[in-house]
Amino acid sequence: MSLTQRSAVVRRLIVSPGAAPQEPAPAVATAAGVSAVLRAFGRSPRDLPARTVVLLGTAAADPGIGPEHEGFAVRTSSTPGRALRAAHRELHTADADFALVAGFGEPDAQTITVYAVKRAAEAVAEGDTVIGLLDLDDGPADEDTAPPLRPLRTGPSGTDPDRHRLLLWSGRTADEEQEVRGALLPLLSGVHRESFPVLPTTTPTGTAPGPVRGAAVTVSALASRAVHQARTSDASHPRPVALLFPGQGSQHAGMAAGLYRRDPVFTAAVDAALSHMGEEASRIRADWLDPARAAIGIDDVRRAQPLLFAVDYALGCLVLSWGVRPTAFLGHSAGELVAAVFAGVVSLKDAAHMVQARVREAVKIPAGGMLAVAAGEEQLLPYLTQDVGIAAVNANQQVMLAGSKEPLAEVAARLKADGHTVVTVPATSPFHSPAMAPASDAVETAYRGIPLREPKRPLYSGYTGTLMRPDEARSPRFWARQITDTVYFRKALDELLAADDVLLVEAGPRQTLTAFARRHRSVRLGAGAVTPLLPARTGTPEADRQSVLTAAARIWTEGHDLDLAAVSRLWTWSEPDPSDPSESRAPRARAEVQPA
């Protein structure tokens, strides 16, 4: 069974609800007990996901417990085993995103054993420590018995010596860094090629990293030269990290596919995002991994938006898995929905449904497109028509127009005749133009049933050009009008860079936002910096991994300490591809649990 079809226990705790019963009869589920369950893991109920369900496994429940308690749905099963099975069903077939399962009277009549249960792929993607997966296939047939927990094994490790890997070193002073580097070079010159992948990631090992840091992304044959030529940086005052998520127009065939089945968090995150897209998910994944045989082209909204959402989300999860904690998020167009997931505005499942609603309504709109024009917004106003509008203002001299096919072609011809540089953006729908008004009205209706919350972390909006307000985040109309409204990315970036001296990390394909950020005055003056995660254009799978490792090296030399075990999986971990005959014949053992 695939990881997306599993449920994972991410926490387990024994709590006491307060007053203990005087007789050894099975504990009775009370309102106080349910309140204790909601607070079992030391956080306020308001910090729980909007669609949290509490499942009580008890033979006796207080009649006063209703179907809802403190704003959360409550269900009762006769035993903890039945409650755990019900949690699995709630997570995968109903509307729950998180389940708290309470075994009343476990392990004794005066206590409650509380399990926190999530969809397994999302638990891996979000960096939860997974205690185990609920084994509902091979466990006891008796539903009253709790299903066993199977260890999470997301794939075997390998040591391919031809993969790029990361080498990190540091010193407390410049002289010490030189000594460390000098000791590292002979080791790299003499190491056997097969041993290169298993060398320690950091030097010296076992000590706290110093503020003078160096890094190299290299293969075995070039390791000595790469370390020798690497520059050092002073990491005494690391800039906080902000994540940027690109939208429509940044997509390209096979984007980030080199990371799939090569990093467990990225793989699980893509699978988790696509798992909420119904029957279309398998076709989207197939077109992504094999573009030559794709049934639908990547620039079609039916592929561009779902895949951008999944890839952006997975890249964000990858960065967080390294131990990086961004202080702000900014998305461009559809990327704002990804940013909203990380900021706590909307669940992954609901955001995926919001993307689907956009796609469903966009395909009903007559064909159109977008243009990138090297001009300012004011210069382009005379060229606008009733059907062609300003789609995005990305930089001082970089504006996008959007509209229906024929009117947009006429505007493009006029602009070129007047000497403007015009580039067609890969898109088949006229997003951010008046032509999308019917789609905007339709998705607003769909969004009214989705729980929306105020941001828990700073979220900059490209539609207002500033921090998203709580009332905006909770408004279905705010999210629906994004289909027609102009994206003011430049203004939002101005606000973000004015708030702090930050390191911007673009979590998406093609480096579109990186290019815009590099033109910003703060970045040009060195007050801010930007690094992309992926290559600027389509390349090899190894190029994807090399690019991501280069970004990790930049984050390290900036002064952020990394989870080295997580980063090293990019060159030591691989998930066998079930569609590859050579993989199926490989002698190494398959993972016990494999992502879909």
Side-chain angles (χ1 to χ4, degrees), residues 384-465:
L384 303 184
T385 67
Q386 186 175 2
D387 199 41
V388 176
I390 301 287
V393 181
N394 295 319
N396 286 333
Q397 292 294 308
Q398 214 294 312
V399 172
M400 289 172 60
L401 303 181
S404 299
K405 191 173 182 178
E406 292 183 3
L408 190 65
E410 293 173 2
V411 170
R414 289 170 54 204
L415 286 166
K416 290 176 182 178
D418 290 344
H420 290 285
T421 300
V422 180
V423 177
T424 301
V425 175
T428 58
S429 297
F431 278 102
H432 313 298
S433 79
M436 295 296 291
S440 176
D441 293 339
V443 299
E444 181 180 1
T445 301
Y447 290 176
R448 286 175 186 160
I450 290 177
L452 299 168
R453 293 182 166 186
E454 64 181 82
K456 295 179 181 178
R457 289 166 286 279
L459 172 58
Y460 288 82
S461 172
Y463 296 92
T464 63

Side-chain angles (χ1 to χ4, degrees), residues 12-317:
R12 180 170 51 190
L13 186 68
I14 299 174
V15 300
S16 172
Q22 298 302 311
E23 61 279 345
V28 175
T30 63
V34 178
S35 293
V37 169
L38 287 169
R39 294 164 176 79
F41 299 103
R43 57 181 178 180
S44 167
R46 68 170 174 265
D47 294 327
L48 294 169
R51 276 200 291 260
T52 293
V53 61
V54 181
L55 295 116
L56 312 178
T58 177
D62 187 330
I65 298 177
E68 186 177 288
H69 185 82
E70 296 191 52
F72 296 99
V74 178
R75 322 246 196 270
T76 303
S77 297
S78 58
T79 66
R82 289 182 180 272
L84 283 166
R85 287 173 168 80
H88 173 77
R89 291 191 295 270
E90 288 273 353
L91 289 169
H92 291 277
T93 63
D95 291 327
D97 294 316
F98 186 67
L100 290 169
V101 179
F104 278 78
E106 284 194 344
D108 56 57
Q110 300 181 14
T111 56
I112 309 168
T113 298
V114 183
Y115 302 82
V117 188
K118 300 176 70 171
R119 288 178 283 263
E122 289 172 36
V124 173
E126 294 167 12
D128 289 298
T129 300
V130 176
I131 296 173
L133 304 180
L134 292 178
D135 190 346
L136 302 173
D137 297 325
D138 303 326
D142 180 9
E143 288 216 345
D144 288 337
T145 303
L149 294 181
R150 173 178 290 183
L152 172 68
R153 297 175 185 165
T154 54
S157 293
T159 53
D160 184 349
D162 296 321
R163 283 196 206 173
H164 284 81
R165 62 154 296 168
L166 190 58
L167 293 169
L168 307 173
W169 65 94
S170 67
R172 289 169 294 182
T173 64
D175 289 342
E176 187 174 280
E177 182 275 328
Q178 286 293 316
E179 291 177 9
V180 171
R181 192 193 306 227
L184 180 59
L185 287 171
L187 174 64
L188 296 174
S189 299
V191 71
H192 191 278
R193 175 175 169 273
E194 297 291 335
S195 301
F196 180 67
V198 297
L199 289 177
T201 307
T202 59
T203 304
T205 59
T207 61
V212 183
R213 298 188 177 188
V217 177
T218 181
V219 294
S220 176
L222 303 175
S224 294
R225 181 190 302 176
V227 170
H228 177 73
Q229 294 178 345
R231 297 179 180 179
T232 56
S233 63
D234 183 351
S236 302
H237 303 287
R239 286 174 279 214
V241 170
L243 288 184
L244 306 179
F245 300 101
Q248 181 95 28
S250 294
Q251 75 282 348
H252 63 76
M255 55 185 174
L259 303 176
Y260 192 70
R261 300 193 180 101
R262 289 295 182 264
D263 181 273
V265 169
F266 180 88
T267 303
V270 169
D271 288 342
L274 293 181
S275 72
H276 298 303
M277 297 185 183
E279 296 178 357
E280 188 68 7
S282 61
R283 292 186 285 271
I284 293 172
R285 186 188 288 104
D287 286 354
W288 173 50
L289 296 178
D290 192 358
R293 298 184 182 181
I296 299 175
I298 187 61
D299 295 335
D300 189 296
V301 67
R302 293 171 292 172
R303 289 296 177 265
Q305 297 240 343
L307 275 174
L308 274 169
F309 176 81
V311 167
D312 285 7
Y313 171 72
L315 289 170
C317 289

